[in-house]
Amino acid sequence: MKARVHITPKPGVLDPQGKAIRDALASLGFDGIDDVRQGKYLELELEESDAKRARAAVESMCARLLANTVIEDYWIELEAGQPESARG
Amino acid sequence: MKARVHITPKPGVLDPQGKAIRDALASLGFDGIDDVRQGKYLELELEESDAKRARAAVESMCARLLANTVIEDYWIELEAGQPESARG
């Protein structure tokens, strides 16, 4: 089972990387961008096939290692089967 | 309009960060993880309200700055309206 984890800075937490990206885009001529927030995206390939146990395990991984829950939010999506095909 | 951009290492490209995360999780006792891939996740708040133009602009941003298309894949989701509420 594949788990997809998104980790983003909480609303209100400064995101200097996001700001740097916005400024870099503006310098390339991309106007009309109000805000950019940068986060992390993880794909975990798990042996666990039970969705409930898989989610509990990934929750625990986020709380213990992957996310800093003081300043970051995370959310988890589970996907049984094949990885998606629609990629840019 | 909000655009969500995922950027991941292409299949077959080495991902030492992902491997380090997998090893760190294993050292914490999380077994049964076959693979971890680390990518980036960006949320862009755009003034553009036309989905077609917004997607074209974000595609161009990815190709010119956000992604290294030699070694990275990216995909784009557009979302009009409010940010989602379901966060961990």
Side-chain angles (χ1 to χ4, degrees):
Chain A
M1 175 168 285
K2 177 176 274 189
R4 303 166 186 276
V5 181
H6 293 78
I7 302 166
T8 56
K10 280 183 193 283
V13 172
L14 283 178
D15 179 9
Q17 289 188 324
K19 189 173 181 317
I21 291 169
R22 192 189 62 180
D23 294 347
L25 288 170
S27 76
L28 288 175
F30 292 106
D31 298 323
I33 303 172
D34 289 332
D35 194 27
V36 177
R37 306 284 283 175
Q38 169 157 12
K40 282 175 283 187
Y41 171 68
L42 298 169
E43 291 180 347
L44 293 87
E45 199 63 59
L46 307 171
E47 288 173 10
E48 181 64 70
S49 58
D50 179 80
K52 201 168 177 179
R53 281 201 298 268
R55 181 174 292 275
V58 178
E59 286 270 359
S60 177
M61 292 175 204
C62 286
R64 291 185 61 193
L65 181 75
L66 302 177
N68 178 348
T69 56
V70 176
I71 57 169
E72 291 174 325
D73 285 331
Y74 63 87
W75 69 102
I76 298 164
E77 296 164 334
L78 293 176
E79 175 198 296
Q82 297 305 306
E84 69 185 10
S85 56
R87 298 211 169 168
Chain B
M1 174 167 287
K2 177 176 275 189
R4 303 165 185 276
V5 180
H6 293 77
I7 302 166
T8 56
K10 281 184 193 282
V13 172
L14 283 178
D15 179 7
Q17 289 188 325
K19 188 173 182 317
I21 292 169
R22 192 188 62 181
D23 293 348
L25 288 169
S27 76
L28 288 174
F30 292 107
D31 298 323
I33 303 172
D34 288 334
D35 194 26
V36 177
R37 305 284 282 178
Q38 168 157 12
K40 282 176 282 188
Y41 171 67
L42 298 168
E43 291 180 347
L44 292 88
E45 200 63 60
L46 306 172
E47 288 172 12
E48 180 63 69
S49 59
D50 178 79
K52 202 167 175 179
R53 280 201 298 267
R55 181 174 292 276
V58 178
E59 286 269 359
S60 176
M61 293 175 204
C62 286
R64 289 186 60 192
L65 181 76
L66 302 177
N68 177 347
T69 55
V70 177
I71 57 169
E72 291 174 326
D73 284 329
Y74 63 87
W75 68 104
I76 298 164
E77 295 163 335
L78 293 175
E79 176 197 297
Q82 298 305 305
E84 69 185 12
S85 56
R87 298 212 170 167

